[in-house]
Amino acid sequence: MKNIIEIEHLNKSFGEIKAVSDLSFKVKSGELFAFLGVNGAGKSTTINIMCGQLAKDSGKVMIRGEDLDESPDNIKRILGVVFQNSVLDKDLSVRDNLESRAALYGIHGKAFKARLEELSELLEFKELLKRTVGKLSGGQRRRIDIARALLHKPDILILDEPTTGLDPQTRKNIWRVISDLRRNENMTVFLTTHYMEEAADADYVVILDSGIISAEGTPLNLKNTYAGDFVTLYNTEEEKIKQLGVPYEKIKDAYRISVPGTAAATEMILKNPEIFNDYEIMKGKMDDVFLAATGKKLTGGMEK
């Protein structure tokens, strides 16, 4: 797959504060790319630079083979952005909001009606078209934010904390739509999130800490590098667990042992078959990866 986004040696400071420092990463076409970090890590600064809303101090931003400095308008046309805070006009109806946005891309008349029909079916908001945006629930408003970003069929959808504060069912529905778009239109999705299960489903993850990349890789590689595995033993006695001579913790009706990886777990099991009658091996979670890489907790969601 080709790289659709290439960021090289990006720098941005606000006075004495370095928001991003010598930041370099690549995003492949059609990928779900997760950009993780606590508030103030530099995620939104990077997104605002990519969208042309914020000037960088130095570095290079290439999107679909074009330099942001040379072709900002071309690049804006292939980006769809869902910001953390809704940018919809609360006093206008859903239809009026989308119609005025579509007009900026030259989408009028029959073309707008056809696209509105597609999106209202995809995101299930036909019954909301005449409603004033200010009277919508958070989940309803988020669906319209996403529709707004998709009006011009962008190649890249940027989602900045898209599901924060939404109920689980709405989050699930939004991710169903995003998965459909990736599968059917090969759309690239650039995601920032506080929900670890969303990051766990990504193709590639970059963890940002104070404007610097502290870890990157596929979720599996990151888990293997930073989190190790856990072996949980059921229907056993604490005395037997103590015989293993390794640290453990009691959880509900079981005992959990942390091991460096699957190979170490296998070795322990083969040496002590009489203890391992009822057990499961689990990979560490993205929460563990984030904590190990940054020393901080990224709050939000339980990983599945």
Side-chain angles (χ1 to χ4, degrees):
M1 288 189 290
K2 283 186 176 179
N3 294 324
I4 194 166
I5 300 172
E6 296 182 359
I7 307 290
E8 295 178 7
H9 307 296
L10 187 66
N11 289 283
K12 179 64 183 179
S13 295
F14 298 99
E16 296 295 311
I17 300 167
K18 277 205 163 190
V20 290
S21 182
D22 198 30
L23 188 63
S24 297
F25 63 85
K26 294 173 182 176
V27 181
K28 289 184 170 65
S29 180
E31 191 169 62
L32 171 55
F33 179 93
F35 206 41
L36 304 184
V38 297
N39 289 337
K43 307 185 305 296
S44 293
T45 298
T46 305
I47 286 173
N48 286 331
I49 290 170
M50 286 165 55
C51 297
Q53 292 198 326
L54 186 64
K56 57 184 168 56
D57 294 341
S58 62
K60 196 168 191 175
V61 177
M62 298 287 293
I63 297 181
R64 208 179 63 178
E66 297 193 79
D67 192 318
L68 180 62
D69 291 340
E70 296 170 6
S71 310
D73 292 338
N74 288 351
I75 286 173
K76 283 177 185 176
R77 285 188 171 275
I78 64 167
L79 298 178
V81 189
V82 179
F83 294 101
Q84 277 185 47
N85 299 314
S86 179
V87 291
L88 298 167
D89 189 324
K90 291 181 180 179
D91 296 327
L92 294 180
S93 70
V94 168
R95 184 193 172 93
D96 288 345
N97 261 284
L98 296 176
E99 192 165 16
S100 61
R101 181 64 181 177
L104 297 176
Y105 292 98
I107 304 169
H108 305 279
K110 288 182 180 177
F112 170 69
K113 283 182 182 176
R115 187 59 175 153
L116 184 64
E117 179 72 21
E118 283 177 3
L119 291 172
S120 62
E121 196 168 308
L122 182 70
L123 286 153
E124 299 174 355
F125 62 83
K126 278 186 181 181
E127 76 285 359
L128 303 176
L129 286 170
K130 294 180 181 177
R131 292 267 295 275
T132 305
V133 165
K135 294 180 180 177
L136 301 180
S137 69
Q140 290 170 335
R141 194 157 53 240
R142 187 49 92 200
R143 277 185 276 156
I144 311 307
D145 280 322
I146 293 171
R148 178 185 181 276
L150 294 172
L151 279 166
H152 58 300
K153 296 187 177 180
D155 291 353
I156 302 167
L157 180 62
I158 296 176
L159 302 169
D160 194 7
E161 305 281 359
T163 58
T164 297
L166 301 184
D167 64 272
Q169 186 60 46
T170 301
R171 285 175 58 211
K172 187 177 178 181
N173 289 341
I174 284 173
W175 276 106
R176 174 187 52 77
V177 170
I178 292 166
S179 296
D180 287 348
L181 289 166
R182 291 185 61 223
R183 184 172 57 250
N184 300 330
E185 300 182 23
N186 195 38
M187 182 177 286
T188 304
V189 177
F190 187 105
L191 167 75
T192 78
T193 182
H194 273 97
Y195 293 103
M196 287 289 94
E197 73 271 27
E198 293 177 353
D201 288 337
D203 297 303
Y204 200 82
V205 176
V206 164
I207 295 176
L208 206 60
D209 188 21
S210 301
I212 299 167
I213 293 175
S214 59
E216 63 178 306
T218 66
L220 180 59
N221 288 343
L222 287 170
K223 287 174 185 179
N224 284 339
T225 303
Y226 289 93
D229 291 2
F230 295 99
V231 183
T232 305
L233 294 95
Y234 304 95
N235 298 316
T236 189
E237 299 156 7
E238 190 165 2
E239 284 306 313
K240 288 185 177 180
I241 303 298
K242 285 179 180 176
Q243 290 173 28
L244 295 170
V246 294
Y248 66 89
E249 61 176 320
K250 190 171 187 345
I251 48 168
K252 294 183 182 175
D253 301 323
Y255 297 92
R256 189 167 78 161
I257 298 166
S258 177
V259 290
T262 309
T266 304
E267 185 181 348
M268 184 186 293
I269 292 161
L270 291 174
K271 282 183 178 177
N272 304 276
E274 72 285 355
I275 297 175
F276 290 88
N277 292 317
D278 187 2
Y279 67 90
E280 64 179 340
I281 303 175
M282 294 180 68
K283 290 283 179 196
K285 297 181 178 180
M286 288 300 294
D287 299 78
D288 304 311
V289 170
F290 191 87
L291 183 60
T294 67
K296 300 166 186 170
K297 287 192 175 181
L298 189 61
T299 55
M302 289 295 290
E303 190 175 340
K304 53 192 178 195

